[in-house]
Amino acid sequence: MTESQYWQVILTVIQTVILFVGLAATFFTLHRHHKDSKALATINLIIHQRSNDKLNKAIDLMSKLANQKTDFSDLSEYFKNKDSEECNALKTVLNFREFVAVGINNDSIDEHIYKDAYYSTVLRDWKYLKNTIYAIRDSSTGFPTAFQEFEKLVLRWQRHPLKKKI
């Protein structure tokens, strides 16, 4: 190998290393941007959720209805009157919990941030609503997969509970 060929090989190796370092930096930057965007979207969701009067009133009513029952019985009886305040409140809470669960399960919402903020609330709502969800699935309405993302999220959180950080 001549000295000229030797330097061509060295330059080719250096160019290849620089190319791969650049690709790695680009990948890292894109990954970091995605993670930061997801965290920001999650924080915005939390802020929206905390200031959403309709949702908060629906959660309060759902809690009241559930606490009036024994062993958090099925609340699906309130779906008989589609225009009732109770029906609308239950649908609001169920649909919101499903929306968030879909976002988390599809990696659009940062699970760790949301879990830190709403772990107890989500598990409480599942306790209040699981019999209702099972009744919706078993009914003749034809919704065998209703709120399955919410259930999937709760089951994962129950297997991996929030750890004490203090």
Side-chain angles (χ1 to χ4, degrees):
M1 178 184 304
T2 66
E3 188 175 337
S4 170
Q5 291 172 330
Y6 172 78
W7 286 111
Q8 282 182 331
V9 169
I10 293 296
L11 287 175
T12 302
V13 168
I14 291 171
Q15 286 176 335
T16 304
V17 168
I18 290 171
L19 174 68
F20 281 110
V21 168
L23 287 173
T26 301
F27 176 77
F28 175 76
T29 301
L30 289 173
H31 176 72
R32 185 76 229 166
H33 176 71
H34 171 72
K35 189 173 181 178
D36 291 345
S37 296
K38 189 168 69 168
L40 181 60
T42 304
I43 290 167
N44 285 334
L45 173 67
I46 290 169
I47 290 168
H48 171 73
Q49 182 174 344
R50 290 190 175 165
S51 63
N52 185 333
D53 288 336
K54 179 182 177 185
L55 176 62
N56 291 319
K57 287 177 184 175
I59 290 170
D60 289 344
L61 181 54
M62 177 229 20
S63 296
K64 180 181 169 189
L65 295 173
N67 285 317
Q68 290 174 353
K69 298 280 189 172
T70 57
D71 298 326
F72 309 110
S73 300
D74 171 17
L75 299 175
S76 64
E77 68 187 66
Y78 295 104
F79 289 105
K80 292 176 183 169
N81 180 355
K82 302 283 186 207
D83 296 324
S84 71
E85 181 182 7
E86 294 84 359
C87 177
N88 288 325
L90 292 172
K91 288 192 295 189
T92 297
V93 175
L94 284 167
N95 288 329
F96 189 81
R97 293 290 175 239
E98 183 72 357
F99 167 77
V100 170
V102 167
I104 290 172
N105 293 338
N106 288 298
D107 202 31
S108 297
I109 297 172
D110 188 294
E111 182 169 4
H112 298 292
I113 293 172
Y114 197 85
K115 187 176 181 179
D116 284 347
Y118 282 102
Y119 176 81
S120 299
T121 303
V122 169
L123 292 184
R124 178 209 61 203
D125 290 355
W126 174 254
K127 181 174 73 171
Y128 288 170
L129 295 168
K130 78 176 179 182
N131 291 334
T132 304
I133 291 169
Y134 294 153
I136 291 168
R137 289 178 186 168
D138 288 341
S139 70
S140 61
T141 59
F143 299 114
T145 60
F147 309 108
Q148 67 184 4
E149 294 296 316
F150 179 30
E151 180 176 21
K152 179 180 171 183
L153 178 68
V154 167
L155 293 175
R156 184 170 62 247
W157 285 8
Q158 287 173 337
R159 282 191 311 274
H160 306 285
L162 190 63
K163 292 184 173 41
K164 186 175 180 180
K165 295 181 180 181
I166 298 175

